[in-house]
Amino acid sequence: MIEFKEVEKRYPNGYEALRHINLTIDQGEFVAIIGLSGAGKSTLIRTINRMHDITRGTLTVDGTDVMSLHGKSLRKFRRKIGMIFQSFNLITRTTVIKNVLTAFVPDLPWWRATFGIFTKEEKMKALEALDQMGILDKAFVRADQLSGGQQQRVALARTLAQNPQVILADEPVASLDPVTAKQVMDDFQRINREMHITVLINIHHVELALQYATRVVGIRAGEIVYDGPADQVDQAVLDAIYQGKQEEPA
């Protein structure tokens, strides 16, 4: 379970990205976070794995105070949380399987990490993850030879290889065409349902959020203005979320 209690985030330049966030997310939920650019969507999900530190309040994951973690304990904690980015974050000049194998690097002795030495078991886990994403046949193809949708599936396979409890996705389909975007959202939905992995997606496409998520959190100016079932989002809710204009933090 992920729990925010009166969480706030203020950047050094004084910009308030999050204000009075109170939010509880149970294991196995599929939650879409929607709102204007600069509303605080990315900041919200990035506080969960400590990519951003909160300024005030309490943020716990499975009872662990995220802000209390440092060094080795923080790295171990992050192993439970996968992160998917809009830009895929792949090493494009190497093979697909080598990209997936990077999921194991944080746990390796320095000499294995330096020379890229992986066990048979690790290689099998990487191949299994690729098979789960339907791209096992691309294992030994260079990542830069894949389509955008295939590259995002590689990123998902890399995340699955680390056996996460939670997957955070920051605009994962923003750079994809509509057909491919729906295919990738199908993948997120399947992972959520079949593996009972919690999925939190920051997404601009409202129609995809409503189609795939079971719960929607709407953010405006750093505050939650809607939190409820996707099928109860109507025009009045959307007006509350999207009224006014927000500026991106500097």
Side-chain angles (χ1 to χ4, degrees):
M1 183 174 71
I2 301 167
E3 189 171 14
F4 293 78
K5 291 183 178 179
E6 286 297 313
V7 167
E8 297 183 5
K9 169 62 179 178
R10 183 188 294 268
Y11 286 101
N13 66 356
Y15 182 88
E16 287 186 294
L18 299 176
R19 304 171 184 171
H20 308 295
I21 299 296
N22 290 286
L23 182 67
T24 299
I25 298 167
D26 292 324
Q27 184 63 35
E29 287 199 88
F30 192 139
V31 182
I33 302 170
I34 63 174
L36 290 167
S37 295
K41 304 186 304 298
S42 291
T43 301
L44 179 69
I45 67 171
R46 290 173 184 234
T47 60
I48 295 171
N49 62 356
R50 281 281 300 276
M51 288 184 71
H52 292 325
D53 289 343
I54 63 175
T55 307
R56 295 183 61 186
T58 305
L59 171 55
T60 59
V61 177
D62 288 339
T64 299
D65 185 342
V66 175
M67 290 301 295
S68 70
L69 301 173
H70 303 280
K72 187 176 181 180
S73 63
L74 178 58
R75 290 193 295 272
K76 184 177 180 181
F77 165 77
R78 284 174 170 162
R79 298 292 291 147
K80 301 178 183 178
I81 302 177
M83 187 78 188
I84 302 294
F85 300 91
Q86 175 182 343
S87 58
F88 318 133
N89 280 24
L90 301 181
I91 305 170
T92 56
R93 293 188 177 184
T94 192
T95 62
V96 164
I97 189 170
K98 286 183 178 179
N99 272 279
V100 178
L101 285 168
T102 61
F104 304 112
V105 168
D107 297 326
L108 299 183
W110 69 268
W111 56 273
R112 284 182 59 197
T114 300
F115 295 104
I117 299 173
F118 298 95
T119 65
K120 181 178 179 180
E121 181 182 6
E122 289 162 348
K123 292 176 182 177
M124 287 302 299
K125 285 183 179 179
L127 291 171
E128 287 171 7
L130 288 170
D131 192 29
Q132 288 175 318
M133 296 310 304
I135 51 173
L136 180 59
D137 60 320
K138 305 296 184 182
F140 299 100
V141 175
R142 271 180 40 148
D144 58 5
Q145 296 179 10
L146 303 182
S147 67
Q150 290 171 332
Q151 289 190 49
Q152 194 61 288
R153 286 193 177 95
V154 174
L156 273 165
R158 179 180 57 196
T159 295
L160 292 179
Q162 70 187 62
N163 194 29
Q165 296 176 1
V166 177
I167 293 179
L168 309 175
D170 193 2
E171 294 292 352
V173 298
S175 62
L176 304 177
D177 64 77
V179 173
T180 306
K182 292 195 70 170
Q183 292 171 345
V184 171
M185 291 298 291
D186 285 339
D187 291 330
F188 278 110
Q189 188 177 68
R190 178 172 54 82
I191 289 168
N192 170 253
R193 291 178 175 177
E194 296 179 3
M195 304 179 191
H196 202 59
I197 295 174
T198 304
V199 175
L200 276 77
I201 290 185
N202 159 23
I203 187 167
H204 273 299
H205 300 285
V206 175
E207 66 281 3
L208 291 179
L210 301 184
Q211 180 180 350
Y212 286 94
T214 54
R215 177 180 172 189
V216 168
V217 173
I219 297 182
R220 180 168 59 86
E223 296 183 301
I224 294 176
V225 295
Y226 177 81
D227 179 8
D231 59 10
Q232 292 184 19
V233 175
D234 56 18
Q235 190 57 51
V237 169
L238 294 177
D239 288 344
I241 296 170
Y242 290 97
Q243 69 180 6
K245 295 182 179 180
Q246 307 300 323
E247 295 180 356
E248 295 284 2

